[in-house]
Amino acid sequence: MNATRPDSEAARLTDWQRGLREQFPIITAHPDLVYFDSAATAQKPRSVLEAVQSYLTTSNANAGRGTYPWANRTTQLVERTRHRVKEFLGDPDPQRSTVHFTGGTTEGLRAVARDWLTSFLREGDEILVPFADHQANLDPWLEAQRLLADQGTDVRIRALPYQAVSGDYDHRELERVVGLRTRFVAATHLHHVYGGDMNVHRIRAAVGPDVPICLDAAQSVGHLPLSVAPSALDVDFVVFSGHKALALPGTGVLWARNARGPIFEPGGWQGTPNTVGIASLEAALDWLDAAGVERIARWTVALATRLTDRLRGSASYEILGCQASLAAGSGQPLQQRRHGIVSFRHRDIPSDDLGFILFSEGFMVRADNLCQAGADEKRDGSVRVSLHVYNTEDEVERLLAVLTSLD
Ligand code: PMP
């Protein structure tokens, strides 16, 4: 019995994935193309497209402004989705936390910086921010420092340290960088180039219980389970983009725990929310919960492992980020886990050329500096294959056939 179990489990997972893949019309309509750019934006399942159509044809109105049925339904949609986000994030104290809808991660991080951090920090405080994650998770903190300096308040920015090979934060070095004046940390959940889980729970351990942490979850929502229960991720802000989580572009989430420092209040007049985007987000979160994020993670980790293990065997390719600690249960708890993002370079072929070669074979990948802070397009460019639940082993094998033919 036992001997057959792994196989039947693998078969079940394959059947499950096939059923899900069929729900993505753009994927099934283009069997000759392979979409490997889900870290840039994800494709949408039919239920999300239907939710958009249904909202626009039954209830479209402004939110929080009218008293007629369409307006009431729209207001209810926005409130319901706020609660849905809290539930999706495993929020243990939804009475206290707030969900603010934004245009995306970039806007959400900027809102934390401008509307919250600038009123939280005092003269001489230090903040720790990532200088090698996405540019969107660096600029807002530099801007907050400038805004405060304009008001005569000097705060110091310190760089989160990284480990050279894995791209994980250097948690040992972090303990040295954290000081009595450390008042805030901005970090990333899943790195958009290295594909690794950045082990943010270890940042909490290093800074202690009182320092607010803002989490850029752009790459993790829908890809790996994310719980803001303090025993899981004791962070104060979670910021993400709807479009990477199967919803429409122009929709983003800023969740604030409101337990450390002032309550988050968006600054200035808040105009009409993106109600169509919010309708898509509600459907996307329902879809992800029904599919099971844990299983999505297992699927994409397996595909990324297959790709990484084979490329690692070739002298022509250099893989960025964590090299070996790929699958769950690697038995090395301090090592980093890679999820569904694999970035690499060919020894002789420039990455932008490799991107063109791959597209000529039907593979849509990203090939540039990937918006990484401080990365130069020519010097640091790479090819990024980013996976989602609609990708298959066959697609990865077809990609590997092309890549190994260039060895
Ligand atoms: N942070 C990370 C880690 C990202 O990968 C991205 C998008 N590539 C962003 C922030 C910015 O997201 P958006 O463009 O949706 O604002």
Side-chain angles (χ1 to χ4, degrees):
M1 269 305 272
N2 271 353
T4 61
R5 202 182 290 150
D7 279 350
S8 58
E9 203 175 301
R12 262 205 307 278
L13 200 61
T14 305
D15 284 348
W16 163 85
Q17 191 271 345
R18 197 173 297 131
L20 296 188
R21 178 180 161 94
E22 281 164 7
Q23 296 176 35
F24 288 80
I26 197 171
I27 299 288
T28 52
H30 299 94
D32 298 336
L33 294 175
V34 179
Y35 189 70
F36 276 150
D37 201 15
S38 293
T41 199
Q43 301 303 344
K44 321 302 177 203
R46 195 172 293 112
S47 66
V48 168
L49 306 179
E50 285 169 359
V52 167
Q53 170 94 1
S54 163
Y55 171 71
L56 286 172
T57 51
T58 64
S59 317
N60 182 41
N62 211 318
R65 285 159 171 81
T67 48
Y68 49 91
W70 293 356
N72 289 340
R73 282 213 292 276
T74 299
T75 303
Q76 283 160 11
L77 164 74
V78 174
E79 287 317 309
R80 201 169 63 231
T81 308
R82 266 189 232 289
H83 291 292
R84 188 70 186 84
V85 167
K86 294 182 186 187
E87 184 190 48
F88 187 81
L89 296 177
D91 185 341
D93 195 0
Q95 303 299 327
R96 188 173 197 177
S97 63
T98 45
V99 167
H100 172 56
F101 291 114
T102 68
T105 307
T106 302
E107 192 182 310
L109 293 170
R110 201 180 292 139
V112 174
R114 281 191 192 161
D115 301 338
W116 184 86
L117 189 62
T118 48
S119 55
F120 175 63
L121 294 179
R122 299 285 172 265
E123 176 72 24
D125 283 347
E126 291 185 0
I127 67 174
L128 287 177
V129 306
F131 277 73
D133 292 358
H134 199 280
Q135 192 76 44
N137 199 10
L138 176 59
D139 289 350
W141 320 119
L142 302 179
E143 188 194 353
Q145 184 191 40
R146 276 196 305 274
L147 290 172
L148 285 164
D150 289 348
Q151 298 163 16
T153 304
D154 284 322
V155 299
R156 181 165 178 209
I157 291 194
R158 304 194 69 167
L160 273 173
Y162 291 84
Q163 295 177 32
V165 175
S166 72
D168 193 3
Y169 300 128
D170 186 333
H171 297 279
R172 224 172 258 152
E173 181 66 12
L174 183 64
E175 311 222 333
R176 235 180 36 77
V177 177
V178 171
L180 287 177
R181 297 310 303 260
T182 306
R183 285 267 283 167
F184 174 80
V185 184
T188 301
H189 195 194
L190 183 63
H191 201 282
H192 73 294
V193 178
Y194 306 130
D197 180 334
M198 300 298 279
N199 291 314
V200 170
H201 62 284
R202 299 183 68 198
I203 294 184
R204 168 59 67 214
V207 297
D210 300 326
V211 175
I213 298 175
C214 176
L215 190 68
D216 174 349
Q219 293 299 345
S220 54
V221 171
H223 288 271
L224 69 157
L226 196 174
S227 163
V228 295
S231 57
L233 274 179
D234 188 6
V235 295
D236 298 271
F237 299 96
V238 172
V239 178
F240 66 93
S241 303
H243 71 96
K244 295 184 203 271
L246 313 184
L248 292 190
T251 322
V253 166
L254 188 177
W255 171 89
R257 190 188 297 278
N258 296 323
R260 299 176 180 92
I263 288 176
F264 174 83
E265 306 258 20
W269 169 252
Q270 298 299 304
T272 302
N274 177 357
T275 50
V276 183
I278 291 169
S280 76
L281 183 67
E282 181 185 43
L285 298 183
D286 285 349
W287 193 94
L288 288 168
D289 266 345
V293 175
E294 184 84 51
R295 269 198 290 187
I296 294 174
R298 244 190 297 151
W299 183 260
T300 53
V301 166
L303 296 184
T305 303
R306 180 181 281 250
L307 180 57
T308 315
D309 281 354
R310 294 268 289 285
L311 286 187
R312 235 166 8 114
S314 156
S316 301
Y317 291 96
E318 173 204 2
I319 299 173
L320 309 190
C322 49
Q323 304 288 309
S325 54
L326 301 170
S330 64
Q332 291 157 317
L334 294 186
Q335 280 204 339
Q336 199 180 26
R337 280 192 60 196
R338 180 191 291 279
H339 283 264
I341 294 176
V342 185
S343 302
F344 53 85
R345 298 190 185 109
H346 192 282
R347 195 184 45 199
D348 303 317
I349 306 172
S351 294
D352 45 357
D353 290 352
L354 185 53
F356 279 116
I357 295 170
L358 292 177
F359 183 65
S360 72
E361 302 282 343
F363 300 100
M364 291 177 264
V365 297
R366 182 89 183 262
D368 53 29
N369 70 348
L370 309 175
C371 307
Q372 186 176 18
D376 175 82
E377 177 136 3
K378 281 280 164 235
R379 188 192 60 215
D380 304 313
S382 62
V383 170
R384 179 179 69 187
V385 172
S386 53
L387 304 153
H388 215 315
V389 67
Y390 33 76
N391 292 120
T392 62
E393 288 175 5
D394 176 62
E395 290 176 339
V396 171
E397 285 301 323
R398 279 154 59 196
L399 176 73
L400 278 164
V402 176
L403 290 175
T404 49
S405 76
L406 303 169
D407 250 5

